Amino acid sequence: MEEKGLLLIVSGFSGAGKGTIVKEFISRNNDVRLSVSATTREKRQGEQEGVHYYYISKDQFENMIDRGDMFEYASYVNNYYGTPKSFVMKQLEEGHDVILEIEMQGALQVKRMYDEAILIFVVPPHAKDLEDRLFGRGTETAEVIKNRLRRSCEEVDLIKYYDYIIVNDQLSDSVRMLENIRNAEHLKVKHYENLIDKLKGELQGIIN
Ligand code: 5GP
C-alpha cells in the first residue's frame, strides 16, 4: 500500500510572514499540495478566488460545517476560515504531502484528531516587526490590525503545543528551515517499516 503523505501545518502571528514562506516553499517544492481554504472575509485587493481562498457567505460556510465538509475551521477576528476536507484527504491518501496555512485553533483541532500532523509556528525576531508589517501591508484598518495583534498576544501561551518553530528573519533561511523539517519528518523510522522488514528477511536469508 502507498505510504500516506505528510500533513504539514504552518501557523504564526498575523504579519509574521508565514504566507510568504509557504508561497516560496511551494514554488521550490511543487510536489507538495497546498490546501486552499474557504473564508467569509472580504477578498483583498490582488487576491483571487480559488487561489488565495474560496470566498463564501456565512450561510454557505455554516452549511459546509453541518454537512461535515470541513476538515477543521475556526473563527478569526470576526470571520470564519476553514479547510475543505475532501482535497486534503484525497491528497494524503494518494501519498502527496499537504501543507495548510491556518491559524492556531484550527491547527490544534487537527492535532487532536490526527496526531501525525506536523505543527510549525512562525514568529518574527521582534514583536515590533508584526506591527510594521501589518501597517506596511496597508490592507487592513487600524482597528483590525489591533485585533490581530491582540489575537497574537493570546496565542503566545499555546505555541508550546507545536512541534517546530521558525524565527522568520531572512525569508530564504525560513524556507530552508521548512524544507529541513519536511525532510527530517520523512526520515522518521516509522516511514521505513517495509524496508526494515525486507532487510530482516534478507539478513535471515544470508545467515540461514
Ligand atoms: P488572512 O485573513 O490574513 O488571510 O488570514 C487570517 C488567519 O486565518 C491567518 O492566521 C491564516 O493562517 C488563517 N487561516 C487561513 N485559512 C484558514 C483555515 O482554513 N482554517 C483556519 N483555522 N485558519 C485559517
Side-chain angles (χ1 to χ4, degrees):
M1 203 184 77
E2 179 134 34
E3 168 100 7
K4 268 206 318 211
L6 297 179
L7 181 59
L8 300 161
I9 301 191
V10 178
S11 309
F13 297 139
S14 186
K18 59 190 180 304
T20 316
I21 296 172
V22 168
K23 199 166 147 220
E24 183 66 17
F25 172 80
I26 290 289
S27 77
R28 285 168 48 144
N29 300 270
N30 52 24
D31 57 323
V32 179
R33 307 292 196 255
L34 175 65
S35 161
V36 178
S37 299
T39 184
T40 59
R41 88 146 158 73
E42 295 276 306
K43 195 192 285 179
R44 284 185 197 135
Q45 207 174 5
E47 287 185 343
Q48 279 171 274
E49 165 74 24
V51 176
H52 297 90
Y53 284 104
Y54 299 107
Y55 302 88
I56 63 177
S57 68
K58 190 162 176 273
D59 279 353
Q60 287 171 312
F61 200 103
E62 286 172 350
N63 282 336
M64 284 185 76
I65 298 172
D66 292 344
R67 286 197 303 264
D69 290 346
M70 288 296 185
F71 185 57
E72 62 70 38
Y73 68 93
S75 170
Y76 179 90
V77 189
N78 299 326
N79 279 299
Y80 277 132
Y81 293 80
T83 306
K85 190 190 269 174
S86 56
F87 176 83
V88 173
M89 301 314 271
K90 182 168 183 288
Q91 297 300 326
L92 291 176
E93 286 301 327
E94 288 177 358
H96 301 294
D97 291 352
V98 175
I99 191 161
L100 310 184
E101 188 217 312
I102 64 176
E103 57 68 62
M104 189 172 248
Q105 296 306 324
L108 297 177
Q109 254 178 63
V110 174
K111 190 75 174 177
R112 277 194 294 273
M113 62 178 179
Y114 189 75
D115 189 44
E116 297 105 282
I118 302 145
L119 265 48
I120 303 147
F121 200 83
V122 179
V123 297
H126 312 283
K128 181 86 177 65
D129 303 339
L130 298 174
E131 199 184 11
D132 293 347
R133 285 186 64 132
L134 288 172
F135 278 105
R137 201 153 77 179
T139 49
E140 265 95 9
T141 62
E143 195 196 335
V144 171
I145 291 176
K146 220 13 179 278
N147 284 335
R148 284 177 175 245
L149 291 169
R150 212 169 276 133
R151 174 82 175 219
S152 297
C153 202
E154 290 163 11
E155 289 177 342
V156 172
D157 290 335
L158 298 176
I159 299 175
K160 58 178 179 241
Y161 297 113
Y162 277 66
D163 300 303
Y164 297 96
I165 193 156
I166 292 178
V167 180
N168 183 26
D169 195 359
Q170 294 293 324
L171 175 65
S172 55
D173 292 342
S174 301
V175 174
R176 211 164 317 114
M177 287 181 223
L178 188 50
E179 289 171 344
N180 290 344
I181 293 168
R182 179 190 180 207
N183 292 338
E185 286 288 335
H186 271 290
L187 295 177
K188 288 212 158 144
V189 170
K190 66 181 179 189
H191 301 302
Y192 286 85
E193 280 169 11
N194 291 343
L195 175 68
I196 294 165
D197 279 350
K198 182 184 82 84
L199 289 172
K200 185 177 170 188
E202 288 172 0
L203 278 168
Q204 283 168 341
I206 295 170
I207 61 169
N208 287 330

